[in-house]
Amino acid sequence: MNRLLNQLWPPDTAQRVFVGFVLVLLVGGAAALLLKTPLPLLPAVLLLGLLLVLIDWRLVFYLLFASLAFAREIAMPGGLSLDVPSEPLMLVLTGCVGAALLLGYGHLPRRELLHPVIVLLLLLLLWSITSTFFSVDTTKSVKYLLAKIWYLVPFILGTWLIVRRPTDLWRVAGLYVGSACITVIITAVRHASSGFSFDGINPAASWFYRNHVIYATVLALLLPFALYGVRRSRGWERTAWRVATGLLLFGLLTAYTRASLLALPVAAVFYWVVRLRQMRLFLVGAVAAALTGSIYFLSENTYLLYAPDFEKTVFYGDDFEKHLEATYKLEDVSGMERVYRWVAAVRMAADRPLVGSGPSTFYPEYKRYTVRSFRTYVSDNPEKSTTHNYFLLLLAEQGFPGMLLFMVLLVVALLMLEHLYHRTLPGSELRYITLACGLSFVIIVFHLLLNELVEVDKVGSFFFLNLAVLIRVGTWVRYEK
């Protein structure tokens, strides 16, 4: 028996490690199928991460983006959740990046570390810590802070350590675009069984995405990379980017998501604003419009005049055209439910204007601040979603300082985009990278008006990566000059 085992057991150490990994993967896969949960696959993912770290930790970075589109949310004890395998890989990367910097294996230019965007991100983090001290649920707020750290370190510092040349960025973008295209194909096959109906998209996309909104947002934010990937490449690579562009557009159109469809013309408008050097004027106009609207709705409780008719708010799950019609008539239930929570968020901020209720505490705290006349038949909120507006979420949870710091961050980032555009040469690779990252960032920010996505792994990753790469483009331009 011992002789037989010796013959079967590989003599080479690398082969033994591979056999061990395959066994762990098989056992975990069998358990996942039987238990109908991906949790048993976690040991295999952790083992793979450890192997990659021992070989070259940069492979973990690329593995993260190659698997990001396939990540799924699983429930954890205490009402928390974990995105697998993305968040475990982000945690591993946080340790790897920290170790690389401490051991001197990576160097970050002082100019990048002291960039105004980085200073504002640190101030936001510090204010979140301050708000946590006054949180109504410290456990949720501390989890938010930990998650924020393993977003900032891999996608800001890790990006700087990995993306040393323009080709490194296209490799990262290509991995995410490629995996997203695979999810589009699988989702389309499942969606076809319902005739690509409006009410069939959520079940079709549920294998990889929490809902069709996140599905459409991912496709929209990746489109600028696909479009400029076509322009900067040749031969088979250009063909691959063209196919990817077609798949992303097809997936976006069949996702039936209003915000994502509108995000593309908004990005086109921003392109011309940047090109014509009108960003400052545009931002002043946007701030003036926001202040005017706020004053109008809040003065003498004017917002109460726009309360919906409970009996008329409907959801046309089988007809997208009627869904759009109900939106502009203020009869769409999802739109009016957003207003219901926006009103609650403003009332929460009025109660605790400085520090808010604490990070990640909007649900269920907001229910004490709702106005009954804005209630809809989905206001019970069994999915425990939040404001559907990231700015108001920050206002309710972290007070006016938190929201204002985030708005200043966006202003600085958009001004940086315009500045870099006019410092790069037309038709150059740096111009294409600036536009791809900048327009992707604009698309994400536009979605934040109707959803809270910065803490969603599939979207928040590129929110921070785009900022890091735009800062790095400034360094490349300086060296080029």
Side-chain angles (χ1 to χ4, degrees), residues 323-338:
H323 185 55
L324 293 177
E325 183 181 346
T327 300
Y328 70 77
K329 287 184 177 180
L330 302 181
E331 294 177 356
D332 167 50
V333 69
S334 63
M336 297 317 297
E337 178 62 21
R338 281 179 165 86

Side-chain angles (χ1 to χ4, degrees), residues 103-289:
L103 296 175
Y105 293 136
H107 171 69
L108 300 178
R110 179 182 176 86
R111 175 188 171 277
E112 294 179 353
L113 289 172
L114 297 178
H115 194 280
V117 167
I118 302 303
V119 173
L120 286 166
L121 285 172
L122 289 175
L123 288 175
L124 272 166
L125 181 61
L126 289 173
W127 185 255
S128 297
I129 295 172
T130 303
S131 180
T132 298
F133 283 109
F134 303 92
S135 175
V136 298
D137 191 332
T138 307
T139 301
K140 286 184 178 180
S141 296
V142 169
K143 196 271 181 182
Y144 170 92
L145 293 176
L146 294 174
K148 185 63 73 176
I149 290 171
W150 69 60
Y151 270 84
L152 290 173
V153 174
F155 298 124
I156 298 289
L157 302 182
T159 297
W160 284 341
L161 292 176
I162 300 296
V163 180
R164 295 287 187 178
R165 301 169 299 170
T167 51
D168 296 328
L169 172 67
W170 294 112
R171 185 179 299 115
V172 171
L175 287 171
Y176 196 15
V177 169
S179 59
C181 285
I182 294 173
T183 67
V184 170
I185 294 171
I186 296 173
T187 299
V189 171
R190 301 184 67 204
H191 198 188
S193 63
S194 65
F196 291 101
S197 64
F198 178 36
D199 58 347
I201 182 58
N202 262 331
S206 62
W207 275 10
F208 310 110
Y209 302 90
R210 192 181 307 166
N211 51 53
H212 74 110
V213 174
I214 295 176
Y215 172 57
T217 305
V218 169
L219 304 186
L221 73 89
L222 290 177
L223 262 174
F225 290 96
L227 290 171
Y228 287 103
V230 171
R231 300 192 65 176
R232 51 88 55 186
S233 56
R234 296 289 182 272
W236 69 268
E237 191 177 352
R238 171 174 282 190
T239 302
W241 281 113
R242 281 176 173 166
V243 171
T245 302
L247 284 171
L248 293 176
L249 277 171
F250 173 78
L252 185 58
L253 291 173
T254 55
Y256 304 120
T257 306
R258 294 161 295 183
S260 298
L261 292 173
L262 190 57
L264 299 187
V266 168
V269 169
F270 264 89
Y271 168 78
W272 284 103
V273 168
V274 168
R275 184 169 178 173
L276 298 175
R277 297 178 184 267
Q278 298 300 314
M279 185 61 74
R280 286 174 175 80
L281 181 61
F282 179 87
L283 291 173
V284 169
V287 172

Side-chain angles (χ1 to χ4, degrees), residues 24 28 38-48 74 76 82 84-85 88:
V24 172
L39 195 58
L41 287 170
L42 191 57
V45 173
L46 294 175
L47 180 59
L48 179 60
I74 61 173
M76 300 291 288
L82 186 71
V84 178

